[in-house]
Amino acid sequence: MKIPKTFINLALFALICLFAVECIESMRQKSATSDEIPHLAAGYAYLTRGDYRLNYEHPPLVKMLAALPLLGMNLEFNDGDASWQKADEWVFGDIFVNSNRVDATKIVFLGRLPIVALGIFLCLLVYKWSSHLYGKPAGLVSLLLCSLSPNILAHARLVTFDLANALFTTLTFYAAYLVLMRVSRGRIILLGLALGLAISTKATGLALIPLLVILTALAHLRGLTKVPPKQAARIGLIAIAIGFGILIATYRISQIGSYFRGLHYFISDIGKGGRPAYLFGRFSTTGWPYYFVAAMAMKTPIATLILLAMSLWLTLRKRLGLAQYFTLIPIAAFLGFSALSHLQLGLRYILQIYPLMFILIGKIFAGDFLKRKVPKILVGALLAWYVFASVSTYPHYLAYFNEIVGGPSNGYKYLLDSNLDWGQDLPGLKHYLEKTGNPEVVLCYFGTASPNTYDIEYQDCYSLNLQASRHKHINSLHPKREVLAISANMLQGLLLPQRDLFAWLKKHKPLAKIGYSIFVYDITNDLESHFALATIYLRGGNLAKAERHLERILTLQPENSQASKLLTIIEDKIKTRQ
């Protein structure tokens, strides 16, 4: 059945608008994630100072794009601070975003808008390629999958490289496919531009060059292109020249040395491990070969996985065409490369396979497969399930987990870091505290956003946050109500020297899970929690906070001899210090 062009255009417009609204409205409800603050500071430095000392390990394009909306804001840039001289991106980023004359939420919101725009371009590209291969109805379905994908939505509103990498990687394969179908000057230029944008976004963009060589060789061996090998080689060299021209331009020519310094850092970092990865309740500094496949199985809507399996079944039954080579092989290659990496911090490292998957799924809507009643009902049900999974996740896309593991509430048992908890839920915590009468808070937070930005009054408990670590507030001795708010990463011991530091909390049911990433526990009259916190503070040398929790225990249970003994020791230490 032919679908009217007007309906196609209206559906296209509606899905793009829906995607933009989902991104903008959900990002209003989320604080800056861990990497965004140094990225914004670095991008602003590149544009206003021409200085690439911050975050040099990654190419500058996305950071510069994100910083563009900040140029007219008259932001303070304290290049006299020691953190700038030392090129400490974390400390300087904290000063630049969290302590500027302009509110941090405004800086972060404006910095995210260019990434949302890139997300819109990605959705349009998925629609374009899928429509080209399988027709416009298939293109709309591929667009639906992309525009409602929890993983695409999660990263289309963050100042990070993953969404842009997915866009420019997909664009590079699309442009190369077009060139091998029919050579034209415009297509060659498009290929060069796409490649240049990819290598200017992430160091892994360089891997596209040998992958394109392999794909082109296979296309010639299988007789899938009429472009002579020598001409293809010349086109490849032209595209590489254009691509590196773009890369050099992003470094203002004279600063290109920063790229090679960053590339050396990246290559040495990706293979050496050292950063803790978490999977199925276990930690490792070298990772697991199956980490990304497992993450994909848990964080991709089940409907997508079934549709992908159906598409692969339909595709592999017949001889592969050029388009299938340029979608299937990159997916396999990226999954293969990821198995070799020791840097296993999140599904985002393979985000670039998702647009290719959505395009492949379009195959289902071409040919005679859906002319039969059962497949038509099944595919319709899967699409409805997919839409429900996405809508019900709003606005917590980063924390999405599918039903295989019981949804996002159970995600912390299986994966951590940017799969779940990247410091994004301070606004949700503030809303919860206001809704529950503003209890006093002990906060153990993982992230670079500042709790002060959201007017959260709290007693810090070794948060991995620069603002929080300087926060000296101590809760009162007789709170009406007191809660412990702890990030999932901290609860599970990620990046902590002692993994079981907060293990006692796992015996307690949390009052709430804010955005699935911050767990809230009632500790008002909980002797065990107060003693555990006193012990943690004491080990860290924070005697005043340890003293407060021991005194709270004695307020609740005056005859507690263990608390009395510890309190005596602490008071003696305090006197000695004085």
Side-chain angles (χ1 to χ4, degrees), residues 148-392:
L148 291 179
S149 166
N151 294 304
I152 297 295
L153 286 164
H155 296 282
R157 59 209 178 130
L158 303 181
V159 184
T160 54
F161 316 116
D162 308 295
L163 188 284
N165 183 51
L167 167 60
F168 298 134
T169 296
T170 306
L171 183 61
T172 300
F173 288 126
Y174 178 58
Y177 159 77
L178 291 177
V179 167
L180 291 178
M181 289 291 290
R182 179 176 59 82
V183 177
S184 71
R185 183 180 299 175
R187 292 182 176 191
I188 295 171
I189 293 173
L190 177 63
L191 176 58
L193 288 172
L195 182 60
L197 294 171
I199 62 177
S200 299
T201 293
K202 205 168 182 180
T204 51
L206 285 177
L208 294 177
I209 297 174
L211 192 50
L212 288 172
V213 171
I214 293 170
L215 288 168
T216 303
L218 286 172
H220 282 102
L221 288 172
R222 303 291 292 176
L224 300 174
T225 179
K226 295 180 181 180
V227 180
K230 287 186 179 180
Q231 185 183 10
R234 287 196 298 271
I235 291 170
L237 291 174
I238 293 170
I240 290 171
I242 294 172
F244 275 94
I246 292 171
L247 176 68
I248 292 169
T250 62
Y251 282 97
R252 304 190 182 197
I253 303 176
S254 62
Q255 298 294 316
I256 191 62
S258 295
Y259 173 75
F260 294 103
R261 188 162 64 105
L263 186 62
H264 177 267
Y265 176 91
F266 174 79
I267 292 171
S268 61
D269 188 52
I270 199 169
K272 70 182 181 183
R275 299 186 189 182
Y278 179 87
L279 180 66
F280 299 136
R282 295 181 295 145
F283 289 94
S284 172
T285 55
T286 55
W288 303 268
Y290 51 86
Y291 174 89
F292 288 101
V293 173
M296 180 180 167
M298 291 185 282
K299 285 188 64 65
T300 305
I302 296 174
T304 306
L305 298 175
I306 297 173
L307 288 168
L308 180 62
M310 293 169 65
S311 174
L312 290 174
W313 177 72
L314 291 171
T315 300
L316 297 175
R317 288 192 308 166
K318 300 179 180 179
R319 185 174 184 266
L320 297 181
L322 186 64
Q324 285 71 51
Y325 274 93
F326 272 79
T327 47
L328 272 174
I329 291 177
I331 291 174
F334 288 131
L335 287 174
F337 293 154
S338 70
L340 303 175
S341 173
H342 296 308
L343 199 60
Q344 299 179 349
L345 305 180
L347 181 73
R348 61 192 178 94
Y349 284 88
I350 58 166
L351 192 68
Q352 65 270 31
I353 73 173
Y354 280 84
L356 300 173
M357 286 166 44
F358 301 146
I359 293 164
L360 267 175
I361 290 172
K363 172 72 173 177
I364 295 172
F365 298 85
D368 299 330
F369 181 66
L370 290 184
K371 290 183 178 179
R372 289 171 289 178
K373 185 176 181 180
V374 173
K376 187 181 293 186
I377 293 173
L378 175 60
V379 170
L382 288 171
L383 291 176
W385 185 12
Y386 182 84
V387 171
F388 173 78
S390 176
V391 171
S392 62

Side-chain angles (χ1 to χ4, degrees), residues 527 552-561 563-564:
L527 296 175
R552 177 63 183 162
I553 292 172
L554 293 174
T555 299
L556 297 170
Q557 192 181 68
E559 69 278 9
N560 192 303
S561 59
S564 297

Side-chain angles (χ1 to χ4, degrees), residues 129-140:
W129 198 354
S130 182
S131 296
H132 172 81
L133 296 175
Y134 309 118
K136 289 188 176 180
L140 282 179

Side-chain angles (χ1 to χ4, degrees), residues 388-577:
F388 173 78
S390 176
V391 171
S392 62
T393 304
Y394 175 90
H396 311 302
Y397 299 117
L398 193 69
Y400 175 80
F401 283 80
N402 63 31
E403 294 84 350
I404 291 174
V405 296
S409 288
N410 288 325
Y412 74 102
K413 300 175 183 177
Y414 302 95
L415 292 167
L416 291 175
D417 212 297
S418 60
N419 293 302
L420 171 72
D421 176 16
W422 223 4
Q424 72 271 17
D425 279 312
L426 286 180
L429 176 61
K430 174 63 176 178
H431 176 72
Y432 172 82
L433 294 174
E434 289 180 337
K435 188 174 68 173
T436 55
N438 286 311
E440 297 192 39
V441 185
V442 176
L443 178 64
C444 186
Y445 170 63
F446 179 98
T448 55
S450 173
N452 302 331
T453 299
Y454 301 94
D455 296 322
I456 298 174
E457 187 58 81
Y458 62 99
Q459 175 184 302
D460 179 58
C461 184
Y462 297 103
S463 298
L464 293 180
N465 175 274
L466 292 167
Q467 292 275 339
S469 65
R470 297 192 291 266
H471 199 68
K472 304 301 182 185
H473 173 79
I474 297 178
N475 289 347
S476 69
L477 190 57
H478 302 283
K480 291 182 179 178
R481 190 158 174 261
E482 186 175 22
V483 297
L484 169 59
I486 181 169
S487 295
N489 288 338
M490 306 299 284
L491 179 66
Q492 298 289 58
L494 184 71
L495 300 184
L496 293 178
Q498 187 178 336
R499 302 283 189 210
D500 61 349
L501 198 61
F502 294 97
W504 91 91
L505 286 172
K506 296 177 184 179
K507 297 182 295 183
H508 300 270
K509 183 179 180 180
L511 294 172
K513 295 179 183 178
I514 311 299
Y516 307 107
S517 77
I518 297 178
F519 290 56
V520 181
Y521 297 88
D522 187 346
I523 62 168
T524 312
N525 300 317
D526 186 348
L527 296 175
E528 181 186 22
S529 292
H530 285 295
F531 194 85
L533 289 168
T535 304
I536 291 170
Y537 285 126
L538 187 58
R539 287 175 180 172
N542 198 321
L543 301 184
K545 291 178 180 176
E547 182 181 36
R548 183 266 170 186
H549 284 281
L550 291 171
E551 288 177 345
R552 177 63 183 162
I553 292 172
L554 293 174
T555 299
L556 297 170
Q557 192 181 68
E559 69 278 9
N560 192 303
S561 59
Q562 194 174 12
S564 297
K565 289 177 182 178
L566 274 179
L567 188 59
T568 302
I569 294 171
I570 288 172
E571 289 172 345
D572 289 342
K573 287 185 177 182
I574 292 174
K575 289 178 182 177
T576 302
R577 284 185 179 182

